Amino acid sequence: HAAGTLLGLLRWPRDNAAVVSFDLTAAVRAPLTGDRAALQAALDGLATAEHTHIDLGLAEARRVLAARRWNATGAVVLLTDGLNNEGRAPVLAEAAALRSADVLVYTVGVGPDVDAELLGAVASSVDGYYPSATGADLEAIYRCIASRLACDQP
């Protein structure tokens, strides 16, 4: 998984991360932790599945980030290869809830079957959506996001 690149660029053990997957439901695969090995194991265990409920993934990420340290910047890196199955309104509502919670959101759409307009609206800034034609693009995208995490503010 190219997401391991992002893990490699974080500042351990000071930084914390979590892994949330989403399809018909959302699930925390690794809770908020500074344990890079546990996060990598969670990433390695991910598999693609049918159905895309971006709103559920964002909602679960918001719940996970509610437990972050009071002085920590919250950020979500949303990776999807599909269209949201339940329309745009629930996704936009969850994106607004994350913004209200001072959480940065970066979105990455992989392949041709994504709603680029929606992912652009979900991202915290106009340049926070990253289209990726191939998995090979992901490493460069994750490097860019990692450098932005040090500077961007909600």
Side-chain angles (χ1 to χ4, degrees):
H1 285 279
T5 299
L6 181 59
L7 292 181
L9 297 169
L10 297 177
R11 296 161 297 191
W12 304 105
R14 188 182 100 187
D15 288 340
N16 283 275
V19 176
V20 174
S21 65
F22 58 94
D23 43 45
L24 270 175
T25 62
V28 177
R29 302 297 177 178
L32 201 56
T33 181
D35 183 345
R36 182 178 172 190
L39 293 161
Q40 186 64 57
L43 289 173
D44 291 343
L46 293 177
T48 58
E50 291 187 20
H51 307 288
T52 301
H53 287 268
I54 295 169
D55 55 314
L56 299 180
L58 293 173
E60 193 62 36
R62 184 169 42 86
R63 282 188 282 278
V64 167
L65 288 171
R68 72 186 186 269
R69 294 183 311 267
W70 68 272
N71 61 345
T73 299
V76 171
V77 179
L78 172 79
L79 172 70
T80 184
D81 65 352
L83 298 170
N84 195 62
N85 289 112
E86 296 298 322
R88 305 174 106 212
V91 177
L92 295 173
E94 285 301 333
L98 283 163
R99 279 191 284 283
S100 293
D102 291 328
V103 174
L104 298 167
V105 180
Y106 304 95
T107 58
V108 182
V110 178
D113 296 326
V114 297
D115 185 342
E117 185 179 324
L118 176 63
L119 294 176
V122 168
S124 297
S125 62
V126 294
D127 61 347
Y129 165 60
Y130 297 87
S132 175
T134 67
D137 297 336
L138 289 176
E139 243 183 80
I141 289 169
Y142 286 132
R143 288 184 188 285
C144 182
I145 290 172
S147 68
R148 290 184 64 175
L149 283 172
C151 302
D152 288 354
Q153 296 297 314

